[in-house]
Amino acid sequence: MSADSTGSATAAERASTPATPAQRGARALAGGDPVRVAIVGATGYVGAELIRLLALHPHAAIAGLIGRERQGDPLAHIHPHLATRDLRVFDTVPEDAEAVFLALPHGVAAQRVDEFLSRGQTVIDLGPDFRLRDPADYATWYHFDHPRPELLETAVYGLPELHRAELLAAGRRPGAIVGSPGCYATTTILALAPLARAGLLADVVVDAKSGVSGAGRDPKADLHFGEVNESVKAYGAFTHRHIGEIEQELRGLSPVPDANPGAAGVDFLPHLVPMTRGILSACHVRTTRPVSQAELDQLYADAYAGEAFVSVVATPPATKHVTGSNEFRVWAKADERTGRVLAIGVLDNLVKGAAGQAIQAFNVLHGLPESAGLLQLPLAP
Amino acid sequence: MSADSTGSATAAERASTPATPAQRGARALAGGDPVRVAIVGATGYVGAELIRLLALHPHAAIAGLIGRERQGDPLAHIHPHLATRDLRVFDTVPEDAEAVFLALPHGVAAQRVDEFLSRGQTVIDLGPDFRLRDPADYATWYHFDHPRPELLETAVYGLPELHRAELLAAGRRPGAIVGSPGCYATTTILALAPLARAGLLADVVVDAKSGVSGAGRDPKADLHFGEVNESVKAYGAFTHRHIGEIEQELRGLSPVPDANPGAAGVDFLPHLVPMTRGILSACHVRTTRPVSQAELDQLYADAYAGEAFVSVVATPPATKHVTGSNEFRVWAKADERTGRVLAIGVLDNLVKGAAGQAIQAFNVLHGLPESAGLLQLPLAP
Amino acid sequence: MSADSTGSATAAERASTPATPAQRGARALAGGDPVRVAIVGATGYVGAELIRLLALHPHAAIAGLIGRERQGDPLAHIHPHLATRDLRVFDTVPEDAEAVFLALPHGVAAQRVDEFLSRGQTVIDLGPDFRLRDPADYATWYHFDHPRPELLETAVYGLPELHRAELLAAGRRPGAIVGSPGCYATTTILALAPLARAGLLADVVVDAKSGVSGAGRDPKADLHFGEVNESVKAYGAFTHRHIGEIEQELRGLSPVPDANPGAAGVDFLPHLVPMTRGILSACHVRTTRPVSQAELDQLYADAYAGEAFVSVVATPPATKHVTGSNEFRVWAKADERTGRVLAIGVLDNLVKGAAGQAIQAFNVLHGLPESAGLLQLPLAP
Amino acid sequence: MSADSTGSATAAERASTPATPAQRGARALAGGDPVRVAIVGATGYVGAELIRLLALHPHAAIAGLIGRERQGDPLAHIHPHLATRDLRVFDTVPEDAEAVFLALPHGVAAQRVDEFLSRGQTVIDLGPDFRLRDPADYATWYHFDHPRPELLETAVYGLPELHRAELLAAGRRPGAIVGSPGCYATTTILALAPLARAGLLADVVVDAKSGVSGAGRDPKADLHFGEVNESVKAYGAFTHRHIGEIEQELRGLSPVPDANPGAAGVDFLPHLVPMTRGILSACHVRTTRPVSQAELDQLYADAYAGEAFVSVVATPPATKHVTGSNEFRVWAKADERTGRVLAIGVLDNLVKGAAGQAIQAFNVLHGLPESAGLLQLPLAP
């Protein structure tokens, strides 16, 4: 039995299951059965974070944890920090799950998606398989042919701050697919979106720094403590896969479609720094015309007014300011001397950069309060 | 205005304020005004952690944050990670606070306690001023004469797992004082309590390791990153102040009062390790008689059955298993070769070792659910 | 007695002291008395590193360690790791020192320089007071009027890889002053020098990351372990003082004097990362014309052929590859997609970024083998 | 070609190779060919450290680096920090090597030792295969039957501070085998030796803390940065393999042979702490009779007078005080209140705990200056 105490649905309940995420969310909000969710890929870092947050979600219940070749392994053996939750991991997705969160290597979700859709399960994919709109981009950035290119048209890029209306619309249809954004992509897109929307991006250099958890949990030589500690290095120069998402979204925001000059050819360089969580993207921008600090302040204030998880801050943010929370913070400044604009964004790569953002999109899709299950404050020091 | 949106009480509400913590808690539980709490010493690490947890407590409302010489400073300037809470720090305790959490240097709380008691405010002191029962112990371990020794009799040592009945009793009287335990003391006492209660402690060596946040937030040469990082050192050998608490509590648990041989002369050695949060106490015990693993398992299982925040675990726990949570985990093992027993306990020094434990005691005192506001799961990796 | 066993010079020796650094070095090489050096500012991190290296220098002897208000304090109390060297710190510079290394706050060295020059002591200043050629630059970047602007003409920027001939020339005159480069400046200038010399810099964004030791040893709130650990943040945006040096040197390398377009308006952004040592500068460059990888490889190979402390490497370097050594490593790559060039340099900020580089310049100045005292291999992991 | 520029010996040289380590060392000291050494297991952390130190050893030359299935791989690919040494790694041990350092998993050295002895090569084994005198101890602590038990009689436990005379004696015979001590064992034995020799050990609890590099370089789940960082945990309780060495040596030091009560049943508990290098052993001792601080000071001063690599210090040492050096530091203190003695020792596990100590023994064996190649000062911060 892989579920929390809410248990699996009876046949009668399943028969009466509403057809769309929105209907299902409405029932949960009205005091009915919480939405039954499954986590596929529950044994990794992102899986753990989904469990941590969903276990306390007021309108969702964990209906299944799924990991390859797991036959009821206690969660305590896999994620000792979550040992107080009496959960087990199996190798099959329960049929009565209503939404499945997928934390899988790239290419796998696209191959398995029919299995979930055929059961009427909503898919929130935390991998890249449904993030890009143009199938050709998969060849460019991931070196594979997408097996289900026709699904890319309707899948929603799950960044609620930019695609909330699409998520709501998708929640009114059965068979929704959400492609949850990458961690670097979220940090970078949110840091640059107000400039992109104003058509200001002329030349964009993004220099990003990430904690190690973004590279996953599998032991590797370059993630060994002795290699990472007391060291900084760049990696993936010119070829990091998140460039595809970043350029797609910045182009999409451009007032002149497909013509945002800076959106083609973003220079993106990620670094590994000796910490576990956190991403900082420093975006160095040459603008298409001079921008004053006052205009900059206004652009960012307008862009993020009313957003529960975005703060425009007055001093350069540190990654530690958001650890463990779903917050994104951004600081933008014009440099009179060089004429450039600098925008710095931070988030926790496992929360707003992965599990938290996926839950945020899940909430919007189901018509639940957007911050349900995501109210934890950051943990510092 | 230093309070959350719950606001301050009207004159009418204050007039009708129940006289005891238990009555006040009952009203909050029944849907009435949450218990109004103030945090004195809000600018340090423990203060921040109290804010983090109390801001989301379902039955408490922050009525005031207090810091020396603060005149309405925004929380964002003091604890950037908590910037999304629109709170300010002042230098006076609001009169309408019903309970005050004190995170002050030793000696200060004892001097100021009358100010709070005179207003009928419950005192939960996170410093050492109300932890020890024998006034002479203050001279021994803190080198000061306690200014209000008569209060030490009724103050409760706020370790709910061992003093729950006393906390409940104190909640039925006005003027309750809780002396919330030290971080090392909690780790060590909970690791040894089942052995102490069984009269098994013959000789006790406690070798403890702590993250740096336990030493507070003030910049000091030996807390500088360059000094701490990539280094381990012992400190406070033979004289650490928590020894007083540890011996008091272990003696108190002894079946033959004041006769537990190991409780006198605990050899306690703390170390600073290069991490921010977490304490691990390795307790090496010679027992008064041979103990089998089966007996040991039974002793620990019995001692902590039903405890929400204590887990007896099957493999040696890591501090990372409990980061950010109010959990305490313990592992106990008999070594046939040497005849010793080893008990290892871990907790987060700022939560179960400080703010979380104080809130847990606050909950018990007020008759609230013991885990209210403390349900966060640990944050790992 | 503050000196190593080599002891102070006799009156006879002093009388016969050669007049120039070159003569003095020649005598040491010929088996005579090693060059007598004093370290002013011996109590900080850079001071410690100078001691570590000079204590084992084959042709130099420590004649004095100097710290404010120190009256013979044992080194063991100040730098415990160097306790095996039986040295003491005093508050006056010995008259018989022949070269003084100054590790002082900016502005102090310029005020005190006459004291050293009047005794015929060579000055190697590790602060900024003699790095900039144009006195106006001190007003711009350091907000002070240089008290001895006439000295700036003859002072040598102590980057041997670019100013070796000037150092040798200065060694043939008495009264030499070396302004040893800043840590960020060294990393950035050496990473970009081959491009600057070829006139290729059109637009330069430098995104740098540093360990904490670069910020010095004084306890400060933002250098507290709890603040630094598990966090990355940018600081000093647009105004970091090393920008002055970087632009001066890149301009100086330009084939068309003062016309290197990228050298004006370098966009330099430093970050603090949770490690003690190491700097990485990622330099994102738009070139004045397209550059092939082959040309790039040739430019870097030519620029650094024969340099003992510079390696052009085939994969992006990590700061850990050079810890504790005087090495600088650089990797340069052309990105066909965006048309930019990326150059990444790493060094240990306390060695090649401070003490090691100053000793390297000292060696050149005195005609000693350039790597004397600097042969340690990097320490990893 | 796997060797440094010193090159391999000619046939003539080999013919005239002296028969014993002492003769060979004497020739090197007299200005002859340096001693030709090979490092078997050159690809791990201990191997790297042997290369770092031996590459600059004034009387030794690296004749070969050996790693499984390596066919001339450049050192730069294996240990990037050592890339400036133009060395390669092969899979066979050169015949003309005169001494071989073995950094191999337990059991392997014992199987391969004949290969080296048959060529007249001196063996310095950094693994455990030649540390224990009693073959039965291998069954107890390593669960294997030693294949060459007869060699255990003549092998020397390579702790020069305790076995210098034996090392010198072994250097006068061909076919010397040195079993270089374990890292924890060195720290603990040197911290306790003065007490053991005085017959004072009644009851011994050793609580040790180690950096991660002691666990080797192979990627493993529990050495992943995300698991180690911000965490402390105990491991190997009751069964750590170094207990065998520790008890053997403490027994050997006892004034009443085999009767030192504390030497049987040492309670040894190691911990993994989030740092790369360093071991601290806190030894909590009940003595056989009361010991004053003055006696303690005298015991330690006498034991280590004249030792180049041991310091008895006046305040508790930190591991950072010895990083990168061959130093061992110890602090011993009597606690009047509890009647116990506390001895705390620190070292760098890869230097005095492994490579440095092996070279120190190599030096003694060959009659070279004991600190040859080991003069680096510690690297801090």
Side-chain angles (χ1 to χ4, degrees):
Chain A
M1 168 64 204
S2 64
D4 244 353
S5 56
T6 41
S8 53
T10 64
E13 281 170 349
R14 269 199 301 279
S16 70
T17 294
T20 71
Q23 290 169 323
R24 192 54 193 85
R27 197 174 82 183
L29 269 183
D33 202 27
V35 182
R36 290 188 297 274
V37 301
I39 300 167
V40 184
T43 61
Y45 282 155
V46 170
E49 205 66 352
L50 285 165
I51 300 169
R52 179 176 75 89
L53 295 168
L54 288 168
L56 300 177
H57 192 294
H59 308 300
I62 295 176
L65 302 180
I66 296 90
R68 261 187 313 174
E69 300 178 21
R70 302 287 180 168
Q71 304 291 345
D73 302 23
L75 195 56
H77 294 185
I78 297 167
H79 300 303
H81 67 292
L82 302 174
T84 58
R85 308 303 297 194
D86 189 19
L87 294 166
R88 290 178 176 274
V89 182
F90 291 87
D91 64 357
T92 52
V93 180
E95 296 209 359
D96 69 346
E98 296 164 305
V100 291
F101 289 86
L102 307 180
L104 296 168
H106 75 260
V108 179
Q111 302 241 341
R112 293 187 56 182
V113 67
D114 284 334
E115 167 192 344
F116 311 119
L117 295 179
S118 68
R119 294 190 201 116
Q121 294 169 331
T122 301
V123 171
I124 295 123
D125 179 26
L126 287 90
D129 290 12
F130 298 100
R131 292 177 191 159
L132 300 173
R133 292 292 75 77
D134 183 347
D137 279 351
Y138 284 95
T140 303
W141 297 107
Y142 292 90
H143 308 299
F144 78 94
D145 287 327
H146 200 287
R148 299 295 307 281
E150 72 281 10
L151 294 176
L152 298 178
E153 278 173 53
T154 52
V156 182
Y157 192 71
L159 191 53
E161 288 79 6
L162 299 185
H163 295 275
R164 190 172 285 118
E166 292 167 64
L167 286 167
L168 283 167
R172 289 184 223 108
R173 308 186 297 263
I177 303 177
V178 175
S180 202
C183 50
Y184 281 123
T186 301
T187 326
T188 303
I189 295 164
L190 289 179
L192 290 173
L195 298 173
R197 199 179 277 140
L200 285 166
L201 300 178
D203 186 272
V204 180
V205 171
V206 180
D207 197 288
K209 298 92 197 170
S210 176
V212 175
S213 60
R217 193 183 188 184
D218 286 340
K220 289 178 192 162
D222 63 349
L223 304 179
H224 189 290
F225 185 86
E227 304 300 311
V228 172
N229 197 35
E230 282 290 296
S231 199
V232 172
K233 68 169 181 182
Y235 68 100
F238 313 146
T239 63
H240 196 282
R241 292 157 168 175
H242 289 185
I243 297 173
E245 293 173 53
I246 293 168
E247 295 188 351
Q248 164 184 290
E249 295 299 306
L250 295 181
R251 264 198 317 267
L253 288 165
S254 171
V256 185
D258 294 326
N260 207 345
V266 167
D267 174 358
F268 178 79
L269 181 68
H271 296 75
L272 199 66
V273 299
M275 62 185 195
T276 304
R277 286 174 182 245
I279 287 184
L280 182 149
S281 276
C283 308
H284 306 255
V285 176
R286 283 218 174 272
T287 49
T288 49
R289 59 173 173 77
V291 186
S292 71
Q293 186 63 41
E295 182 180 359
L296 211 52
D297 291 344
Q298 195 63 48
L299 283 173
Y300 278 80
D302 290 350
Y304 295 123
E307 288 295 342
F309 296 115
V310 179
S311 305
V312 183
V313 293
T315 50
T319 59
K320 190 163 215 159
H321 297 167
V322 297
T323 304
S325 82
N326 200 47
E327 287 191 44
F328 171 78
R329 297 194 183 179
V330 64
W331 174 83
K333 201 82 179 177
D335 180 13
E336 287 187 20
R337 196 180 75 95
T338 64
R340 287 195 190 77
V341 165
L342 176 63
I344 298 178
V346 297
L347 51 67
D348 181 326
N349 56 297
L350 292 179
V351 192
K352 182 63 177 166
Q357 175 140 282
I359 293 169
Q360 185 185 351
F362 163 91
N363 288 340
V364 175
L365 198 72
H366 288 79
L368 299 170
E370 189 164 328
S371 56
L374 298 171
L375 291 172
Q376 295 87 346
L377 290 169
L379 192 74
Chain B
M1 169 61 204
S2 65
D4 245 354
S5 56
T6 41
S8 53
T10 64
E13 281 171 349
R14 269 200 300 280
S16 70
T17 294
T20 70
Q23 290 170 322
R24 191 56 192 84
R27 196 173 81 182
L29 269 183
D33 202 27
V35 182
R36 289 187 296 276
V37 300
I39 300 167
V40 185
T43 60
Y45 282 155
V46 170
E49 204 66 354
L50 285 164
I51 300 168
R52 178 176 75 90
L53 296 168
L54 287 167
L56 300 177
H57 193 294
H59 307 300
I62 294 176
L65 301 180
I66 296 91
R68 260 186 314 174
E69 301 179 19
R70 300 288 179 167
Q71 303 292 344
D73 303 21
L75 196 56
H77 294 185
I78 297 167
H79 299 303
H81 67 292
L82 301 174
T84 57
R85 308 303 297 193
D86 189 19
L87 294 167
R88 290 178 176 274
V89 182
F90 292 87
D91 65 357
T92 52
V93 179
E95 295 209 0
D96 69 346
E98 296 164 306
V100 291
F101 289 86
L102 307 180
L104 297 167
H106 76 260
V108 178
Q111 302 241 342
R112 292 187 57 182
V113 67
D114 284 334
E115 168 191 343
F116 311 119
L117 295 179
S118 68
R119 294 190 201 116
Q121 293 169 332
T122 301
V123 171
I124 294 121
D125 180 25
L126 287 88
D129 290 13
F130 297 100
R131 293 178 191 160
L132 301 173
R133 293 290 76 77
D134 183 348
D137 279 352
Y138 284 94
T140 302
W141 296 106
Y142 291 90
H143 309 299
F144 78 95
D145 287 327
H146 199 285
R148 299 298 306 282
E150 72 281 10
L151 294 176
L152 298 177
E153 278 174 53
T154 52
V156 182
Y157 190 73
L159 192 52
E161 288 78 6
L162 299 185
H163 295 276
R164 189 172 285 117
E166 293 167 65
L167 286 167
L168 283 166
R172 290 184 221 107
R173 306 186 299 264
I177 303 177
V178 175
S180 201
C183 51
Y184 280 123
T186 301
T187 325
T188 304
I189 295 165
L190 290 179
L192 289 172
L195 298 172
R197 198 177 276 141
L200 284 167
L201 300 179
D203 186 272
V204 179
V205 170
V206 180
D207 197 286
K209 298 93 198 168
S210 176
V212 174
S213 61
R217 193 184 188 184
D218 287 340
K220 289 178 193 162
D222 63 349
L223 305 180
H224 190 290
F225 185 86
E227 305 299 312
V228 172
N229 196 36
E230 281 291 298
S231 199
V232 173
K233 68 169 182 183
Y235 68 100
F238 312 147
T239 62
H240 196 281
R241 291 156 168 175
H242 289 185
I243 298 173
E245 294 172 52
I246 293 169
E247 295 188 353
Q248 165 184 288
E249 295 300 307
L250 296 181
R251 265 198 315 269
L253 288 165
S254 171
V256 184
D258 296 325
N260 207 344
V266 167
D267 174 359
F268 178 79
L269 182 68
H271 296 75
L272 199 65
V273 299
M275 63 185 194
T276 303
R277 288 176 180 242
I279 287 183
L280 182 149
S281 276
C283 308
H284 305 254
V285 176
R286 284 217 174 270
T287 49
T288 49
R289 58 171 175 78
V291 185
S292 70
Q293 186 61 42
E295 182 180 359
L296 211 52
D297 290 344
Q298 195 63 49
L299 282 172
Y300 278 80
D302 290 351
Y304 295 124
E307 288 295 343
F309 296 115
V310 179
S311 305
V312 183
V313 292
T315 49
T319 59
K320 190 162 216 162
H321 297 167
V322 297
T323 303
S325 82
N326 200 47
E327 287 192 45
F328 171 78
R329 297 194 184 179
V330 64
W331 174 82
K333 200 82 180 176
D335 179 13
E336 286 188 21
R337 197 180 74 97
T338 66
R340 287 194 191 78
V341 165
L342 176 64
I344 297 178
V346 297
L347 51 67
D348 181 325
N349 55 299
L350 292 178
V351 192
K352 182 63 178 168
Q357 175 139 284
I359 293 168
Q360 186 186 351
F362 163 90
N363 287 340
V364 175
L365 198 73
H366 288 80
L368 299 169
E370 191 164 328
S371 56
L374 299 171
L375 291 173
Q376 295 87 345
L377 290 169
L379 191 73
Chain C
M1 170 60 207
S2 64
D4 244 354
S5 56
T6 41
S8 52
T10 65
E13 281 170 346
R14 269 199 300 278
S16 69
T17 294
T20 70
Q23 291 169 321
R24 193 52 194 87
R27 198 174 81 181
L29 269 183
D33 202 28
V35 183
R36 290 187 297 275
V37 300
I39 300 167
V40 184
T43 61
Y45 283 154
V46 169
E49 204 66 351
L50 285 165
I51 300 168
R52 179 176 75 90
L53 296 168
L54 287 167
L56 300 177
H57 192 293
H59 308 300
I62 295 176
L65 302 180
I66 296 91
R68 260 187 314 174
E69 301 178 21
R70 301 288 179 168
Q71 303 291 345
D73 303 22
L75 195 57
H77 294 184
I78 297 167
H79 299 303
H81 67 292
L82 302 174
T84 56
R85 308 303 296 193
D86 190 19
L87 294 167
R88 292 178 177 274
V89 182
F90 292 87
D91 64 357
T92 50
V93 179
E95 297 211 359
D96 69 346
E98 296 164 305
V100 291
F101 289 88
L102 307 180
L104 296 168
H106 74 260
V108 179
Q111 302 240 341
R112 292 187 57 182
V113 68
D114 284 333
E115 169 191 344
F116 311 118
L117 295 179
S118 68
R119 293 191 201 115
Q121 294 170 331
T122 301
V123 172
I124 295 123
D125 180 25
L126 287 89
D129 290 14
F130 297 100
R131 292 178 193 159
L132 301 172
R133 292 292 75 78
D134 183 348
D137 279 351
Y138 284 94
T140 303
W141 297 107
Y142 292 90
H143 308 298
F144 78 95
D145 287 327
H146 200 286
R148 298 297 305 281
E150 73 281 10
L151 294 176
L152 299 177
E153 277 174 53
T154 52
V156 182
Y157 191 71
L159 191 53
E161 287 79 6
L162 299 185
H163 295 275
R164 189 172 285 119
E166 293 168 64
L167 286 167
L168 284 166
R172 290 184 221 107
R173 307 185 297 263
I177 303 178
V178 175
S180 201
C183 50
Y184 281 123
T186 301
T187 327
T188 304
I189 295 164
L190 289 180
L192 290 172
L195 298 173
R197 197 178 280 140
L200 285 166
L201 300 179
D203 186 272
V204 179
V205 171
V206 180
D207 197 287
K209 299 92 198 169
S210 176
V212 175
S213 60
R217 193 183 187 184
D218 287 340
K220 290 179 191 160
D222 63 349
L223 303 180
H224 189 290
F225 185 86
E227 305 300 312
V228 172
N229 197 35
E230 282 290 297
S231 199
V232 172
K233 68 169 182 183
Y235 68 100
F238 312 147
T239 62
H240 196 282
R241 292 157 167 174
H242 290 184
I243 298 173
E245 292 172 53
I246 294 168
E247 295 187 353
Q248 165 184 289
E249 295 299 308
L250 296 181
R251 263 197 318 266
L253 288 165
S254 171
V256 185
D258 295 324
N260 207 344
V266 166
D267 175 358
F268 178 78
L269 182 68
H271 296 74
L272 199 65
V273 299
M275 63 185 194
T276 303
R277 286 175 182 244
I279 287 184
L280 182 150
S281 276
C283 308
H284 306 254
V285 176
R286 283 216 174 272
T287 49
T288 49
R289 58 171 174 79
V291 185
S292 71
Q293 186 63 41
E295 181 180 0
L296 211 52
D297 290 344
Q298 195 63 48
L299 282 173
Y300 278 80
D302 290 351
Y304 295 124
E307 288 295 342
F309 296 115
V310 179
S311 305
V312 183
V313 292
T315 50
T319 59
K320 190 163 218 162
H321 297 168
V322 297
T323 303
S325 81
N326 200 48
E327 287 191 43
F328 171 78
R329 297 195 184 179
V330 64
W331 174 83
K333 201 84 181 176
D335 180 14
E336 287 187 20
R337 198 180 74 97
T338 65
R340 285 194 192 79
V341 165
L342 176 63
I344 298 178
V346 298
L347 51 67
D348 180 325
N349 55 298
L350 293 178
V351 192
K352 183 62 179 166
Q357 175 140 281
I359 293 168
Q360 185 185 351
F362 163 90
N363 288 339
V364 176
L365 198 71
H366 289 79
L368 299 169
E370 190 164 330
S371 57
L374 300 171
L375 290 173
Q376 295 87 347
L377 290 170
L379 192 73
Chain D
M1 167 64 202
S2 66
D4 246 352
S5 56
T6 39
S8 52
T10 64
E13 281 170 349
R14 268 201 301 280
S16 70
T17 295
T20 70
Q23 291 169 321
R24 192 54 193 85
R27 196 174 81 182
L29 270 182
D33 203 27
V35 183
R36 291 188 296 274
V37 300
I39 300 168
V40 184
T43 60
Y45 282 155
V46 170
E49 204 66 353
L50 285 165
I51 300 168
R52 178 176 74 90
L53 296 168
L54 287 167
L56 299 177
H57 193 294
H59 307 300
I62 295 177
L65 302 180
I66 297 92
R68 259 187 314 175
E69 302 178 20
R70 301 286 179 169
Q71 304 292 344
D73 303 22
L75 196 56
H77 294 185
I78 297 168
H79 300 302
H81 67 292
L82 301 174
T84 56
R85 307 304 296 194
D86 189 21
L87 294 167
R88 292 178 175 273
V89 183
F90 292 87
D91 64 357
T92 51
V93 180
E95 296 210 0
D96 69 346
E98 296 164 304
V100 291
F101 290 87
L102 308 180
L104 296 168
H106 75 259
V108 178
Q111 302 241 343
R112 293 186 57 181
V113 68
D114 283 335
E115 167 192 344
F116 310 119
L117 295 178
S118 68
R119 292 189 203 118
Q121 294 170 329
T122 301
V123 171
I124 295 123
D125 179 25
L126 287 89
D129 290 12
F130 297 100
R131 293 178 191 159
L132 301 173
R133 294 288 77 77
D134 183 347
D137 279 351
Y138 284 95
T140 303
W141 296 108
Y142 292 90
H143 309 299
F144 78 94
D145 287 327
H146 199 286
R148 299 295 307 280
E150 74 281 11
L151 294 176
L152 299 177
E153 277 173 54
T154 52
V156 182
Y157 191 72
L159 191 54
E161 288 79 7
L162 299 185
H163 295 276
R164 189 171 286 118
E166 293 167 64
L167 287 167
L168 284 167
R172 289 184 223 106
R173 307 185 298 264
I177 303 177
V178 175
S180 202
C183 50
Y184 281 123
T186 301
T187 327
T188 303
I189 294 164
L190 289 179
L192 290 171
L195 298 172
R197 199 178 277 141
L200 284 167
L201 299 178
D203 186 272
V204 179
V205 171
V206 180
D207 197 286
K209 298 93 198 166
S210 176
V212 175
S213 60
R217 192 183 188 185
D218 288 340
K220 289 179 192 162
D222 63 349
L223 304 180
H224 189 290
F225 185 86
E227 305 298 311
V228 171
N229 196 36
E230 280 291 297
S231 198
V232 172
K233 68 169 183 182
Y235 68 100
F238 312 148
T239 62
H240 195 282
R241 291 157 168 174
H242 290 184
I243 298 173
E245 293 172 54
I246 293 168
E247 295 188 352
Q248 164 184 291
E249 294 299 308
L250 295 181
R251 263 197 319 266
L253 288 165
S254 171
V256 186
D258 295 325
N260 207 343
V266 166
D267 175 359
F268 178 79
L269 182 67
H271 296 74
L272 199 65
V273 299
M275 62 186 195
T276 304
R277 286 176 182 243
I279 287 184
L280 183 150
S281 276
C283 308
H284 306 255
V285 176
R286 283 217 175 272
T287 49
T288 49
R289 59 172 173 79
V291 185
S292 71
Q293 185 64 40
E295 182 180 358
L296 211 52
D297 291 345
Q298 196 62 49
L299 283 173
Y300 279 79
D302 290 351
Y304 295 123
E307 288 294 343
F309 296 115
V310 180
S311 304
V312 183
V313 292
T315 49
T319 58
K320 190 164 215 161
H321 298 167
V322 297
T323 303
S325 82
N326 200 46
E327 288 191 43
F328 171 78
R329 297 194 184 180
V330 64
W331 174 83
K333 200 84 180 175
D335 180 13
E336 288 187 18
R337 197 181 75 95
T338 65
R340 286 194 190 79
V341 165
L342 177 63
I344 298 178
V346 298
L347 51 67
D348 181 325
N349 55 297
L350 292 179
V351 191
K352 183 62 178 166
Q357 175 141 281
I359 293 168
Q360 187 185 352
F362 163 90
N363 288 340
V364 175
L365 198 72
H366 289 79
L368 299 169
E370 190 164 329
S371 55
L374 299 171
L375 290 173
Q376 295 88 346
L377 291 169
L379 192 74

